[in-house]
């Protein structure tokens, strides 16, 4: 079946630190991959996406590369800010359905 | 900008009440979804709809039903609310292709007492 596994949180980093949140997936066929972000009290917002192998999605300094050989889509940012504190969800899409990871909470301290 | 709105941000209901959660999207999207979000469990799909009057069960449909009479509106119904349905409910919509992302509403935090 289809599923997404992402690293457990919570993650706490100092401002300007490097961020990696791991995400691996299991899917039949060739899924599209997404990272969503949820700020406190809000719904999910799309952060970035990649629709085929070796694509790199990027937005607001975050990036992730669709790696078919390792079935991974790890989220990275070179220098996090306090405003990046949120919950991050990895997701895949096949056909009509989406499959979400359980989310990783990130707190960035000044 | 795509906009997905949900009828309430916060709702408090009593056990046994019938509860309606409304979701409206303004971009003529084919697909609409209802999720619930609980700590440690992530998002779990309750129902989705890929067309007017069409619905499909998700992973946790028990205790819920849905209605989609018009393309822009997707309603979630709790037939007889129970305390274990206390949760954050998120609605999403999406155009019809696999490459497209979902657009989420702000969520409704439902408390059943």
């Amino acid at each position: 079946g289809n599923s997404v596994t992402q690293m457990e949180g919570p993650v706490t980093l100092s401002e300007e630190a490097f961020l990696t949140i791991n995400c691996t997936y299991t899917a039949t066929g060739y899924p599209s991959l997404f990272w969503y972000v949820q700020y406190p009290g809000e719904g999910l917002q799309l952060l970035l996406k990649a629709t085929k192998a070796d694509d790199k999605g990027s937005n607001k300094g975050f990036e992730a590369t669709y790696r078919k050989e390792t079935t991974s889509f790890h989220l990275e940012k070179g220098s996090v800010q306090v405003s990046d504190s949120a919950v991050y969800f990895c997701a895949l899409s096949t056909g009509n359905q989406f499959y979400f990871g359980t989310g990783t909470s990130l707190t960035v301290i000044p | 900008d795509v906009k997905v709105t949900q009828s309430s941000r916060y709702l408090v209901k009593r056990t046994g009440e019938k509860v309606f959660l409304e979701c409206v999207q303004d971009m003529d999207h084919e697909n609409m979804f209802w999720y619930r979000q609980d700590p440690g469990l992530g998002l779990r799909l309750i129902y989705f709809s890929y067309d007017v009057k069409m619905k499909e069960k998700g992973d946790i449909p028990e205790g819920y039903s849905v209605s989609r009479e018009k393309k822009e509106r997707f309603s979630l119904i709790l037939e007889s609310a129970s305390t274990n349905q206390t949760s954050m409910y998120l609605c999403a919509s999406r155009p019809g292709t696999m490459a497209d992302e979902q657009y989420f509403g702000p969520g409704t935090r439902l408390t059943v007492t």
Side-chain angles (χ1 to χ4, degrees):
Chain A
N2 300 312
S3 66
V4 174
T5 302
Q6 61 181 103
M7 66 185 279
E8 298 277 335
V11 174
T12 301
L13 294 174
S14 297
E15 206 165 22
E16 300 183 2
F18 185 86
L19 169 72
T20 300
I21 301 178
N22 290 336
C23 172
T24 57
Y25 68 90
T26 303
T28 53
Y30 302 95
S32 295
L33 301 173
F34 306 82
W35 276 100
Y36 281 83
V37 59
Q38 185 179 35
Y39 298 104
E42 298 183 13
L44 277 68
Q45 304 173 23
L46 179 70
L47 182 59
L48 54 84
K49 71 177 184 180
T51 58
K52 61 183 187 298
D54 301 324
D55 267 2
K56 178 186 282 189
S58 61
N59 186 26
K60 299 181 182 179
F62 292 89
E63 56 183 36
T65 301
Y66 189 144
R67 302 281 188 204
K68 188 170 183 295
E69 63 277 12
T70 55
T71 62
S72 65
F73 192 54
H74 305 320
L75 182 68
E76 296 182 335
K77 186 175 185 182
S79 175
V80 293
Q81 305 301 311
V82 172
S83 57
D84 294 327
S85 298
V87 180
Y88 293 82
F89 291 90
C90 185
L92 71 84
S93 164
T94 63
N96 281 329
Q97 287 216 44
F98 260 63
Y99 300 85
F100 287 88
T102 53
T104 302
S105 175
L106 171 67
T107 300
V108 180
I109 54 177
Chain B
D1 273 357
V2 176
K3 193 159 186 182
V4 180
T5 57
Q6 296 184 228
S7 49
S8 305
R9 292 298 301 270
Y10 300 93
L11 208 53
V12 180
K13 295 293 182 180
R14 294 190 181 276
T15 301
E17 281 193 81
K18 191 168 186 176
V19 181
F20 294 86
L21 303 181
E22 304 284 341
C23 175
V24 178
Q25 50 96 1
D26 66 357
M27 283 300 291
D28 202 37
H29 285 171
E30 304 291 332
N31 301 331
M32 296 188 75
F33 305 79
W34 275 107
Y35 297 90
R36 63 177 283 176
Q37 182 180 17
D38 300 289
L41 297 177
L43 275 70
R44 291 181 292 167
L45 181 65
I46 304 171
Y47 269 96
F48 69 100
S49 168
Y50 51 87
D51 203 350
V52 175
K53 296 192 186 294
M54 305 300 284
K55 60 186 179 185
E56 293 283 342
K57 292 180 180 179
D59 301 318
I60 53 163
E62 296 78 19
Y64 303 94
S65 61
V66 290
S67 172
R68 194 167 181 201
E69 296 296 318
K70 293 185 178 181
K71 193 174 187 180
E72 67 270 20
R73 187 180 298 270
F74 192 36
S75 302
L76 180 70
I77 304 154
L78 286 64
E79 297 289 344
S80 177
S82 64
T83 54
N84 63 11
Q85 292 178 310
T86 292
S87 186
M88 170 70 89
Y89 289 87
L90 294 169
C91 175
S93 74
R94 181 192 193 201
T97 70
M98 189 178 81
D100 294 314
E101 62 266 33
Q102 292 190 345
Y103 297 83
F104 282 84
T108 296
R109 183 162 294 282
L110 172 67
T111 302
V112 182
T113 61

